[in-house]
């Protein structure tokens, strides 16, 4: 074995053993961080949130500073769809935050400065997070807390900017939410402060196979990292050199921008623009106290069916954060979601089946989503025609065709215990030939679209990051699903 010059820990030459060491090492570090820090989260009725107020006319819930976010109502109408109209609560957070990762090469190997960060909505303590993960209200000091470490590297970038693009977040729970996703490469020595560590890029990608370990904000930034200049994982550079003929080798070859594709990027963009121009969706603000089918009782807001999600309140006490205590409203989903890409090789190049998905909170109405994205229990009361296309196809896939299968947490700063099961399922056929809302995109085309804003949704970006982990030699579903923190 050899010692990593950045992390100072042992690295095994054998790939599988090396990965086991990396997982164990990071898990131990997160547990140590949890022991040094402290976070206590208790439920609190919405009426008792300190610093928050309910508008007497609308019932909307906002912070007394006028910053951070508000919980409002939304009236959505989609004529001609299985569910043509509904109302719902939604988080309105108009300011754009910064999600940034510092990158440094050591011995030609790219390393990332990652943070062990706890959030009130996390399932099991700290998770691996970006170097900087902060809303504008936080990093401008509205909360009157401690400064955000390493922020200056991103506000006025100090180093080589590898990625800098605004991306959306969950369009079903956020109204036009976006964050600036950044990767900045530094040449200078940057010490890892307490609660931070330099980790090899390959290890971070491999850790995506471990349930609830890499947080949502880290995943979206990882997906935006360009596949050039040796950033495919181990610093070797190039595409397809030295890889075998297995699924990992197929993935690696498919990341080459010279690889073939079923549709050209211009054709894909024209298809998406056409859908955005013709889809009939109306989403308008509605007072929170006028929502149909939602009621407020027991200190929370819930749907009359018990499905979808609740709006709840929490009190947080924390040490090691910019602020030691606060209260806030959060969205608590009902049930675990399912997010899946169907993938297949076409002329030796891996393609993923994307869905042009409508969500009321998107800035531009439609974004490209995974093949399936839903919470299955939300459809139990609806006719079969309303169930997501290909849901049963994914759920019924033989285990040997499941290439990735792991439960990952969503954003713990606004969502309480929100989790999705992420899958990559290989198929030999096109199950929906000619469907107007679905297209097959080559892996390198997905990477190209990620250089731009609002093309690929947050769930698709997570799966793209996971696919890159598989290309780098991370474990497949059979071992990933068996690992728990």
């Amino acid at each position: 074995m050899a010692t990593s010059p950045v992390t100072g820990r042992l690295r095994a030459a054998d790939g599988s053993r090396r990965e086991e060491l990396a997982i164990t090492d990071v898990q131990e570090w997160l547990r140590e961080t949890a022991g040094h820090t402290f976070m206590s989260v208790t439920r609190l009725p919405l009426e008792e949130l300190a610093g928050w107020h309910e508008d007497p006319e609308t019932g909307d819930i906002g912070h007394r500073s006028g910053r951070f976010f508000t919980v409002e109502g939304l009236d959505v109408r989609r004529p001609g769809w299985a569910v043509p109209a509904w109302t719902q609560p939604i988080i309105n957070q108009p300011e754009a935050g910064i999600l940034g990762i510092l990158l440094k090469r050591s011995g030609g190997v790219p390393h990332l400065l990652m943070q062990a960060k706890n959030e009130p909505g996390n399932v099991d303590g700290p998770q691996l997070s970006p170097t900087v993960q902060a809303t504008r209200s936080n990093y401008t000091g509205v909360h009157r807390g401690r400064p955000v470490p390493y922020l200056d590297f991103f506000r006025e970038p100090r180093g080589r900017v590898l990625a800098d693009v605004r991306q959306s977040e969950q369009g079903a729970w956020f109204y036009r939410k976006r964050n600036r996703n950044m990767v900045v490469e530094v040449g200078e020595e940057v010490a890892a402060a307490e609660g931070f560590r330099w980790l090899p890029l390959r290890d971070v990608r491999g850790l995506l196979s471990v349930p609830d370990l890499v947080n949502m904000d880290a995943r979206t930034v990882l997906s935006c990292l360009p596949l050039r200049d040796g950033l495919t994982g181990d610093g070797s550079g190039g595409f397809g050199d030295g890889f075998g003929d297995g699924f990992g080798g197929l993935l690696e070859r498919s990341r080459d921008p010279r690889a073939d594709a079923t549709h050209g990027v211009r054709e894909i963009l024209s298809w998406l623009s056409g859908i955005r121009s013709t889809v009939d969706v109306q989403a308008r603000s509605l007072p929170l106290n006028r929502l149909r089918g939602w009621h407020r009782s027991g200190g929370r807001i819930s749907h009359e069916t018990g499905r979808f999600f609740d709006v709840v309140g929490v009190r947080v006490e924390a040490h090691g954060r910019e602020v030691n205590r606060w209260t806030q409203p959060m969205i608590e989903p009902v049930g675990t979601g399912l997010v899946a890409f169907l993938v297949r090789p076409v002329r030796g190049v891996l393609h993923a089946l994307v869905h042009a998905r409508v969500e009321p909170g998107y800035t531009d109405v439609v974004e490209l989503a995974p093949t399936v994205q839903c919470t299955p229990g939300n459809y139990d009361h609806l006719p079969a025609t309303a169930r997501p296309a290909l849901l049963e196809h994914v759920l019924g896939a033989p285990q040997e065709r499941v290439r990735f299968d792991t439960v990952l947490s969503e954003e713990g700063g606004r969502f309480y215990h929100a989790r999705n099961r992420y899958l990559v399922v290989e198929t030999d056929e096109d199950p929906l030939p000619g469907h107007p809302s679905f297209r097959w995109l080559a892996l390198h085309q997905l990477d190209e679209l990620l250089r731009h804003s609002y093309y690929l949704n947050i769930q698709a970006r997570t799966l793209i990051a996971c696919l890159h982990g598989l290309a780098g030699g991370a474990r497949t579903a059979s071992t990933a699903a068996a690992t728990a923190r």
Side-chain angles (χ1 to χ4, degrees):
M1 296 189 208
T3 302
S4 164
V6 174
T7 62
R9 62 185 176 83
L10 295 179
R11 303 280 303 286
D14 173 73
S16 59
R17 176 63 177 153
R18 173 185 179 278
E19 186 181 357
E20 290 174 6
L21 288 173
I23 292 172
T24 301
D25 184 63
V26 170
Q27 288 176 325
E28 289 178 355
W29 174 51
L30 292 176
R31 282 192 289 267
E32 290 174 4
T33 301
H36 298 157
T37 60
F38 168 80
M39 178 171 284
S40 172
V41 182
T42 55
R43 299 298 189 95
L44 198 67
L46 291 172
E47 298 80 12
E48 298 180 17
L49 297 180
W52 297 80
H53 71 279
E54 178 183 342
D55 186 285
E57 294 186 5
T58 65
D60 294 353
I61 302 170
H63 194 262
R64 64 186 177 190
S65 66
R67 302 289 294 276
F68 299 109
F69 64 93
T70 56
V71 181
E72 304 174 357
L74 197 68
D75 186 353
V76 185
R77 300 180 186 274
R78 295 176 62 182
W81 291 76
V83 181
W86 73 89
T87 64
Q88 65 167 90
I90 200 163
I91 294 175
N92 187 351
Q93 186 172 334
E95 59 187 31
I98 293 177
L99 305 177
I101 294 179
L102 286 183
L103 181 146
K104 182 175 175 59
R105 298 174 202 259
S106 178
V109 177
H111 288 67
L112 308 178
L113 184 59
M114 305 301 291
Q115 180 181 182
K117 190 179 183 72
N118 205 352
E119 295 284 6
N122 285 6
V123 172
D124 189 21
Q127 296 180 4
L128 207 60
S129 308
T131 316
V132 168
Q133 175 184 320
T135 66
R136 181 172 176 80
S137 290
N138 284 341
Y139 69 71
T140 56
V142 174
H143 54 33
R144 300 179 183 177
R146 290 178 288 276
V148 176
Y150 304 105
L151 179 65
D152 290 345
F153 284 93
F154 301 96
R155 292 192 71 177
E156 295 182 4
R158 290 166 47 191
R160 181 185 176 205
V161 178
L162 300 178
D164 189 354
V165 60
R166 297 207 310 174
Q167 298 288 9
S168 65
E169 298 201 2
Q170 286 87 348
W173 296 339
F174 280 122
Y175 185 70
R176 299 186 177 180
K177 172 77 183 310
R178 66 272 186 208
N179 273 316
R180 188 180 179 187
N181 289 231
M182 303 181 69
V183 180
V184 175
E185 182 176 2
V186 293
E188 63 186 281
E189 291 298 324
V190 178
E194 184 178 357
F196 293 80
R197 281 185 71 173
W198 287 101
L199 297 172
L201 168 59
R202 174 173 173 166
D203 288 357
V204 174
R205 283 181 168 150
L207 291 165
L208 288 163
S209 64
V210 183
D212 302 316
L213 195 147
V214 180
N215 83 351
M216 185 196 80
D217 297 309
R219 300 193 304 262
T220 179
V221 179
L222 286 171
S223 74
C224 296
L225 188 64
L227 299 177
R228 61 176 185 266
D229 300 331
L231 295 179
T232 53
D234 60 2
S236 61
F239 292 85
D241 299 330
F243 286 84
D245 294 328
F247 190 73
L250 172 63
L251 277 165
E252 183 66 16
R253 292 190 299 272
S254 302
R255 299 196 290 184
D256 187 340
R258 299 164 296 184
D260 203 356
T262 301
H263 306 282
V265 170
R266 289 184 181 179
E267 180 185 351
I268 293 296
L269 294 180
S270 178
W271 164 67
L272 180 59
S273 293
I275 293 176
R276 285 174 167 174
S277 300
T278 56
V279 67
D280 187 9
V281 177
Q282 305 162 31
R284 64 181 182 89
S285 179
L286 186 70
L288 194 60
N289 57 17
R290 290 179 51 195
L291 299 183
R292 301 182 300 275
W294 295 81
H295 58 84
R296 183 164 176 169
S297 64
R300 63 172 59 203
I301 300 172
S302 306
H303 194 262
E304 60 187 5
T305 64
R307 296 185 174 91
F308 310 117
F309 61 86
D310 296 341
V311 180
V312 301
V314 297
R315 176 193 291 115
V316 186
E317 294 186 11
H319 299 299
R321 292 289 298 260
E322 293 86 2
V323 177
N324 291 331
R325 60 181 59 85
W326 71 91
T327 65
Q328 66 173 93
M330 303 189 80
I331 282 181
E332 180 180 16
V334 176
T336 299
L338 185 142
V339 180
F341 261 148
L342 282 181
V343 298
R344 68 175 181 137
V346 181
R347 295 187 294 275
V349 177
L350 194 75
H351 286 61
L353 186 60
V354 299
H355 176 213
R357 180 180 175 89
V358 177
E359 290 192 1
Y362 287 153
T363 298
D364 206 356
V365 184
V366 178
E367 293 191 10
L368 299 182
T371 316
V372 176
Q373 176 188 320
C374 69
T375 300
N378 288 343
Y379 295 85
D380 291 345
H381 64 301
L382 297 175
T385 54
R387 289 178 68 80
L390 300 177
L391 173 59
E392 306 307 327
H393 189 96
V394 167
L395 291 176
Q399 184 60 37
E400 63 269 18
R401 307 311 300 271
V402 179
R403 298 299 186 176
F404 185 89
D405 185 0
T406 299
V407 175
L408 297 172
S409 297
E410 303 305 325
E411 213 279 317
R414 299 290 177 266
F415 311 140
Y416 188 80
H417 291 187
R419 306 170 82 210
N420 281 310
R421 180 186 176 194
Y422 283 90
L423 296 118
V424 175
V425 178
E426 189 175 9
T427 183
D428 293 325
E429 59 182 5
D430 183 352
L432 290 175
H435 195 291
S437 297
F438 290 83
R439 288 290 187 277
W440 290 97
L441 269 68
L443 185 56
H444 65 83
Q445 293 178 314
L446 298 175
D447 292 320
E448 183 175 348
L449 291 177
L450 281 169
R451 301 177 191 175
H452 308 281
S453 302
Y454 313 138
Y455 283 146
L456 292 161
N457 76 356
I458 184 72
Q459 292 85 357
R461 298 198 300 274
T462 281
L463 279 176
I464 290 168
C466 295
L467 280 167
H468 290 317
L470 291 177
R475 297 166 304 161
T476 53
S478 59
T479 51
T483 302
R485 290 178 57 187

